[in-house]
């Protein structure tokens, strides 16, 4: 029996795109919320031995409980192997205790997910101080694909010779990958963050005057990182500033903040459904699933 892809109704569109690309049957997990906020989930009563659980983990807290309930239930209903496809993987940025007593969320959430599933496929996980996804999420198979080449392809259709800029050292991996795809020039800023909304950016020593600049990052949350970088680039004489991000988290106020900083276009992938989506990840995720399921 073939694998079955399970999803939740709020992600039906992207789950169905993946199911079509991977040639898998798909079924929705029914969800009922009790008046006190607790959840009741219902899965198809008979499951094949291999199940693909599709859940992008933005706004993750309740979704982690959903995964606990749905993956354990899937096992009881016959699943022997579960692959979690989480285009956005949450809690990866807190990879150390920056202050004494802080929870190291990356280890804890990674360990929690590893107890539920056998394999994980994700996109551009924020791995700063660890070398591989498997270190953060110790499952048998952990696969991270990058959207940087796909975002680079979009940029290539919009600008002839853009300058790609990563807004902080942590974006080096993505910006260099995106630049290599089309031999674009690139540079990486330095960033000092002193709070959720407090960010200082120093531009790299590359000429930005008159250049069409595209800021590339994995995540846009408050938008402060991109907004401060865009302001610095405009002040340095850039001809235009656009933004390309993998994960369009966009906390309340972020889009306005980025637009008000002089950014013209915002492009993102559909790892999180958002009006800025221009890259469809289904084919790349299906290819990764092909490796996982073969
Ligand atoms: C951190 O280094 C990430 O790569 C992003 O730059 C960061 O999470 C963006 O956050 P915000 O939009 O809140 O500045």
């Amino acid at each position: 029996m073939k694998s079955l892809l399970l999803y939740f109704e709020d992600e039906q569109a992207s789950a169905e795109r993946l199911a079509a690309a991977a040639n898998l049957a798909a079924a929705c997990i029914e969800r009922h919320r009790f008046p006190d906020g607790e959840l009741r989930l219902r899965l198809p009563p008979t499951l094949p031995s291999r199940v693909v659980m599709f859940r992008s983990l933005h706004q993750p807290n309740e979704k982690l409980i959903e995964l606990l309930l749905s993956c354990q239930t899937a096992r009881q209903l016959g699943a022997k192997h579960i692959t979690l496809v989480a285009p956005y993987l949450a809690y990866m940025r807190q990879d150390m205790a920056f202050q004494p007593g802080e929870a190291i969320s990356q280890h804890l959430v990674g360990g929690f997910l590893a107890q539920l599933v056998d394999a994980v496929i994700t996109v551009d996980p924020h791995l700063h101080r660890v070398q591989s996804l498997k270190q953060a999420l110790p499952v048998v198979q952990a696969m991270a694909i990058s959207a940087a080449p796909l975002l680079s392809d979009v940029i290539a259709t919009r600008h002839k010779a853009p300058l790609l800029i990563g807004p902080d050292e942590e974006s080096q991996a993505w910006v260099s990958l995106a630049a290599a795809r089309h031999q674009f020039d690139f540079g990486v800023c330095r960033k000092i963050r002193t709070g959720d909304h407090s960010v200082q950016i120093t531009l790299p020593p590359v000429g930005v005057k008159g250049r069409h600049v595209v800021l590339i990052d994995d995540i846009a949350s408050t938008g402060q990182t991109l907004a401060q970088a865009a302001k610095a680039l405009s002040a340095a004489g850039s001809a235009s500033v656009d933004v390309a991000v993998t994960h369009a988290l966009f906390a309340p106020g972020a889009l306005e903040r980025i637009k008000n900083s002089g950014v013209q276009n915002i492009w993102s992938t559909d790892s999180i459904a958002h009006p800025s989506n221009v890259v469809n990840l289904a084919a790349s995720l299906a290819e990764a699933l092909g490796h996982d399921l073969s």
Side-chain angles (χ1 to χ4, degrees):
M1 197 175 172
K2 277 190 75 169
S3 301
L4 178 68
L5 185 145
L6 295 176
Y7 64 89
F8 291 82
E9 80 289 346
D10 56 306
E11 291 181 320
Q12 180 171 4
S14 39
E16 286 183 346
R17 283 197 294 274
L18 174 58
N23 195 23
L24 293 176
C28 185
I29 296 175
E30 284 176 36
R31 189 169 41 173
H32 172 76
R33 186 180 299 282
F34 290 106
D36 58 11
E38 290 184 5
L39 293 170
R40 181 187 67 209
L41 302 183
R42 194 161 77 185
L43 284 68
T46 313
L47 292 176
S49 62
R50 293 183 82 101
V51 161
V52 175
M53 191 68 72
F54 183 85
R55 202 65 175 134
S56 204
L57 290 172
H58 52 296
Q59 298 172 346
N61 297 345
E62 184 165 295
K63 290 178 182 170
L64 293 174
I65 295 295
E66 288 171 357
L67 285 178
L68 170 71
L69 300 175
S70 55
C71 290
Q72 300 280 28
T73 305
R75 301 268 184 214
Q76 289 164 6
L77 296 172
K80 300 270 182 282
H81 185 279
I82 302 177
T83 299
L84 171 65
V85 177
Y88 175 65
L89 196 54
Y91 282 114
M92 291 293 113
R93 282 169 288 181
Q94 182 84 24
D95 59 1
M96 60 178 276
F98 296 93
Q99 302 290 332
E102 280 180 0
I104 304 175
S105 317
Q106 185 192 74
H107 294 179
L108 298 171
V109 173
F112 170 76
L113 292 173
Q115 286 178 355
L116 297 179
V117 303
D118 305 283
V120 171
I121 296 170
T122 189
V123 185
D124 290 336
H126 192 93
L127 303 176
H128 183 39
R129 277 161 280 261
V130 299
Q131 301 307 309
S132 71
L133 178 58
K134 224 172 164 165
Q135 265 176 274
L137 219 161
V139 283
V140 176
Q141 271 180 297
M143 259 183 278
I145 59 175
S146 180
L150 298 175
L151 287 169
S152 183
D153 290 351
V154 171
I155 294 165
T157 66
R158 313 291 174 108
H159 294 296
K160 199 156 179 284
L163 170 65
L164 306 190
I165 292 287
D168 56 28
E169 294 89 338
E170 296 170 36
S171 63
Q172 166 91 35
W174 299 291
V175 75
S176 57
L177 200 57
R181 173 89 157 184
H182 292 282
Q183 290 81 49
F184 294 149
D185 297 336
F186 78 96
V188 174
C189 303
R190 278 188 293 117
K191 175 170 86 177
I192 298 174
R193 171 158 235 143
T194 47
D196 289 345
H197 287 273
S198 176
V199 162
Q200 280 179 300
I201 300 278
T202 309
L203 294 181
V206 291
V208 301
K209 204 169 172 53
R211 300 294 302 268
H212 291 288
V213 178
V214 182
L215 282 163
I216 300 229
D217 210 353
D218 58 336
I219 294 166
S221 176
T222 66
Q224 288 288 6
T225 299
L226 294 168
Q228 297 312 320
K231 283 183 191 166
L233 287 162
S234 298
S238 60
S240 66
V241 183
D242 296 318
V243 157
V245 291
T246 302
H247 306 297
L249 283 176
F250 295 126
L255 274 182
E256 294 70 23
R257 183 169 296 118
I258 294 168
K259 287 278 183 193
N260 291 341
S261 72
V263 167
Q264 289 180 7
N265 298 292
I266 302 175
W267 303 307
S268 66
T269 79
D270 63 356
S271 69
I272 297 168
H274 187 267
S276 61
N277 292 169
V278 292
V279 168
N280 174 355
L281 291 167
S284 305
L285 292 170
E287 191 185 335
L289 261 178
H291 294 299
D292 171 60
L293 299 175
S294 59

